[in-house]
Amino acid sequence: NDYILCGRLLKCQYIPMNRVHKDTFKGSSRPFKKIDWQARSKEVRNRIKTTEEQQITVKRLLKKEKVRRRNIAALGIDYEFPGYATIAPQGEPEDNVPGGGGD
């Protein structure tokens, strides 16, 4: 009791068994499992997007591009660039699997 540990005072006292909760040390013998957060994040980011998610992304990109073109024109700059509108999928996408593998 009253031991200084890492610059702090450690207070200890005895607690009788009838005051200790039964689940206080539950799972203490199980080793800690380290979670690879980078791998988990990579799986979430690189997953195949649904058609609805792809459409939302395309709409957002086209909207931002429209604003960007408007801002450039407002500055008096005559600048044309192909942008996302030329490569945006028109209508239904055939397949959203990368690599084009249909087998």
Side-chain angles (χ1 to χ4, degrees):
N1 195 12
D2 293 341
Y3 183 77
I4 296 178
L5 181 68
C6 299
R8 296 190 181 258
L9 189 64
L10 179 67
K11 290 282 192 179
C12 302
Q13 68 184 69
Y14 174 76
I15 299 175
M17 286 303 290
N18 60 355
R19 286 190 50 215
V20 176
H21 193 273
K22 64 177 181 157
D23 291 337
T24 300
F25 296 105
K26 183 178 182 179
S28 62
S29 61
R30 183 172 49 102
F32 181 75
K33 181 180 177 184
K34 185 175 184 234
I35 298 172
D36 189 0
W37 293 107
Q38 288 179 338
R40 184 174 285 187
S41 176
K42 189 166 68 170
E43 286 177 8
V44 169
R45 291 284 185 175
N46 294 335
R47 70 179 171 78
I48 305 291
K49 306 296 187 275
T50 64
T51 307
E52 294 83 23
E53 290 172 331
Q54 288 178 355
Q55 289 173 352
I56 290 169
T57 303
V58 168
K59 281 182 185 178
R60 184 177 63 242
L61 287 173
L62 291 175
K63 184 178 176 183
K64 282 185 175 184
E65 181 180 315
K66 192 180 209 180
V67 170
R68 190 172 291 124
R69 286 178 188 273
R70 194 177 315 130
N71 290 341
I72 290 173
L75 291 172
I77 301 171
D78 183 29
Y79 180 67
E80 290 294 323
F81 56 98
Y84 293 112
T86 58
I87 60 171
Q90 305 296 328
E92 281 290 316
E94 296 171 9
D95 195 7
N96 61 356
V97 177
D103 297 314

